[in-house]
Amino acid sequence: MDLFLHLAFLPADDPEASLVFYRDVLGFEVRNDVGHGAMRWITVGPPAQPLTSVVLHPPAADPGVTEDERRVIAELMAKGSYGAVVLGTSDVDVVFAQVQAGGAEVVQEPADQPYGVRDCAFRDPAGNMVRIHQVA
């Protein structure tokens, strides 16, 4: 089998703020930016990985989602427990300094975890957890 991660989806309730975080702070390139009414889907990804992207999408945009479900999704996003992504880097300390300088909300400074990973964590503008693991 030849499988790879192609698309991951994260909710984004403020497309402009999310664009600043993923493009300007993390350095991802914008691959697509599609709007429909008040909704907007922005596809971003690391320049060196053109086949791997993150789609920042309006939360609860599916017409089958009930108002109660929309409320729950909004509550989970506000707590930062709805969406998450884990990124990798060869130097988590350098990336941490750059992302922190970009004004991102720090959740965890770089630390050696008991399970063998050195990582740090931020929240994106929608509250999604963005963990960054040192992989090399």
Side-chain angles (χ1 to χ4, degrees), residues 10-16 18 57-59 74 77-78 124-128:
L10 288 176
D13 53 3
D14 183 340
E16 285 303 319
S18 293
H57 66 91
M77 286 178 65
D124 78 1
N128 299 305

Side-chain angles (χ1 to χ4, degrees), residues 12-102:
D13 53 3
D14 183 340
E16 285 303 319
S18 293
L19 187 59
V20 167
F21 178 77
Y22 286 93
R23 181 193 59 206
D24 302 341
V25 176
L26 293 184
F28 283 9
E29 64 185 10
V30 177
R31 299 192 174 141
N32 204 3
D33 190 340
V34 178
H36 179 72
M39 297 181 284
R40 190 168 166 198
W41 289 258
I42 303 170
T43 305
V44 296
Q49 296 176 317
L51 299 177
T52 302
S53 298
V54 174
V55 179
L56 305 168
H57 66 91
D62 185 328
V65 176
T66 67
E67 285 306 314
D68 283 343
E69 291 167 334
R70 282 186 175 81
R71 181 186 48 75
V72 170
I73 289 169
E75 289 171 2
L76 290 170
M77 286 178 65
K79 289 175 41 176
S81 58
Y82 187 67
V85 66
V86 178
L87 306 175
T89 184
S90 60
D91 192 333
V92 75
D93 296 289
V94 168
V95 171
F96 176 82
Q98 291 173 345
V99 176
Q100 183 181 37

